[in-house]
Amino acid sequence: MLIAVKPFRTLIFAFTLAALGCHAQTSPQTVPPGAGDASGKLSPELTRRVEVLIRSRASIPPGYVIQIGSRTRSDVPGFDKISVSFLADGKSSKPAEFLLSTDGNTLAQFSKFDISKDPKLLVSGDGRPSRGGPANAPVLIVGFDDLECPYCAKMHEQLFPALTERYKDQIHIVYRDFPLDQHPWAMRAAIDTNCVGAHSPMGYWNLVDYIHAHAAELGGTDKSLAKANETLDTLARDEGKKQNLNAESLNACLAKQDDTAIKASIKLGESLGVDSTPALFINGEKVEGAQPLEDVYRMIDSALIASGQTPPPPPTPIQAQPQTPPATKPGN
């Protein structure tokens, strides 16, 4: 089997954004003495220098044949491209691309990323019950949530009240479902809250608030899954009554337990690199786990500034009141 080439940690070449955006060179290519011929084929001496460096830096075994292609023009001034493949047991690897300076003295490898798209569009809040400002608020916060996750419950209790109080209509908050396999009733909780949320955003958030606050109690002292599921269905029906939802439609949704939308949400999260909860995306910037509130404020403030908005002033720290020392009693 072919092995993967290790990245050249010591050969990472830093380029400015301007350089990355440059077009191909238009001036005639000059091949320095010993660097190769006019066709771009490397000289035997230069080929060996490239091969020895790659073999040593990437720990390529002696049994692997390194095949180095001709140099071609790149988008980076002063560098050409060369393609390198690895051959073993009659099989060839996928070519790896390197940069070779036109004077033949520097080999480099770097990753190029597309930043042309607005990160806010990475994950959408469309079709989900929301809190905070309108859908066109400058900052979209999408949380991947597991209703049986104690860390999610803590974040839900502490973070979101503080955010909505501080930022008001500047943020639009939605949850997407990401129930984990190790939490037995999390999937049912996601389905039940969505059954209510399909017709009442307020009912959805009331349920989410309650379940996160009382998750430890569901299932009773014996942690019965059947009891937890029964309680979740009862909570959904009770909330449906408060929101004047059609009882027949709601009961049908609860009985069906259709997990299609939940699985689609899980798949979306996985495509974004989510593998644990809680996970937030603040205008596309990923935040995993419980983070200090000040760090989340900083990220939201940065997103607001990038959107041309002014963040609210920093919260005024609470000053500790000096305490009067106790009176000294006679004899002390």
Side-chain angles (χ1 to χ4, degrees):
M1 293 180 62
L2 293 173
I3 61 172
V5 182
K6 297 180 181 179
F8 275 22
R9 294 181 181 176
T10 58
L11 292 179
I12 296 175
F13 193 85
F15 299 100
T16 62
L17 290 176
L20 290 177
C22 292
H23 297 288
Q25 303 171 53
T26 56
S27 57
Q29 182 178 9
T30 300
V31 181
D37 57 29
S39 69
K41 185 178 180 180
L42 304 189
S43 69
E45 188 272 337
L46 180 55
T47 299
R48 176 164 174 74
R49 281 196 278 131
V50 171
E51 178 178 344
V52 169
L53 181 66
I54 290 176
R55 193 178 292 278
S56 62
R57 294 292 185 178
S59 301
I60 305 299
Y64 282 70
V65 176
I66 299 179
Q67 299 175 322
I68 301 172
S70 299
R71 62 167 76 221
T72 58
R73 297 187 185 277
S74 76
D75 292 337
V76 181
F79 284 82
D80 296 320
K81 293 186 296 184
I82 59 171
S83 180
V84 178
S85 299
F86 304 88
L87 183 67
D89 298 327
K91 297 181 180 179
S92 180
S93 70
K94 182 179 179 181
E97 189 175 281
F98 290 83
L99 293 176
L100 179 64
S101 62
T102 53
D103 63 7
N105 291 332
T106 304
L107 187 68
Q109 189 180 39
F110 74 101
S111 298
K112 189 175 181 180
F113 301 98
D114 180 9
I115 59 170
S116 61
K117 297 179 181 178
D118 184 349
K120 186 178 181 180
L121 304 177
L122 184 66
V123 53
S124 169
D126 293 347
R128 298 296 299 164
S130 65
R131 270 180 167 167
N136 63 351
V139 175
L140 169 65
I141 301 176
V142 178
F144 283 86
D145 186 57
D146 177 322
L147 286 163
E148 199 175 346
C149 166
Y151 302 103
C152 296
K154 193 164 189 65
M155 183 196 72
H156 182 84
E157 175 190 8
Q158 296 180 353
L159 183 63
F160 288 109
L163 295 185
T164 51
E165 172 65 24
R166 173 170 164 77
Y167 292 100
K168 306 293 192 298
D169 288 346
Q170 289 183 303
I171 59 174
H172 183 75
I173 301 170
V174 302
Y175 271 0
R176 289 195 173 276
D177 299 295
F178 203 84
L180 301 173
D181 291 338
Q182 64 263 36
H183 294 153
W185 54 258
M187 175 64 81
R188 193 177 195 98
I191 294 172
D192 285 9
T193 53
N194 278 281
C195 284
V196 173
H199 305 284
S200 173
M202 180 180 292
Y204 169 86
W205 286 110
N206 287 346
L207 263 183
V208 169
D209 289 343
Y210 186 89
I211 294 172
H212 267 319
H214 299 274
E217 304 167 16
L218 269 67
T221 55
D222 56 348
K223 304 298 181 184
S224 166
L225 176 58
K227 188 178 296 184
N229 289 341
E230 181 181 354
T231 301
L232 288 167
D233 290 352
T234 299
L235 291 172
R237 291 190 185 96
D238 290 346
E239 188 60 37
K241 290 178 183 178
K242 294 177 185 177
Q243 303 301 327
N244 296 317
L245 303 187
N246 183 285
E248 185 177 349
S249 297
L250 178 59
N251 286 331
C253 183
L254 297 175
K256 189 176 181 181
Q257 287 296 300
D258 185 359
D259 62 3
T260 304
I262 312 301
K263 288 183 176 179
S265 180
I266 294 173
K267 186 175 180 180
L268 172 63
E270 290 174 342
S271 72
L272 298 170
V274 176
D275 58 8
S276 61
T277 55
L280 299 179
F281 287 83
I282 300 174
N283 272 12
E285 185 176 5
K286 185 179 176 183
V287 187
E288 287 187 297
Q291 300 294 330
L293 191 57
E294 293 75 15
D295 291 347
V296 179
Y297 284 164
R298 177 185 52 77
M299 296 172 70
I300 296 175
D301 289 352
S302 175
L304 285 171
I305 293 171
S307 302
Q309 303 288 318
T310 302
T316 303
I318 300 175
Q319 299 292 334
Q321 297 297 323
Q323 296 183 352
T324 304
T328 302
K329 295 181 180 179
N332 286 354

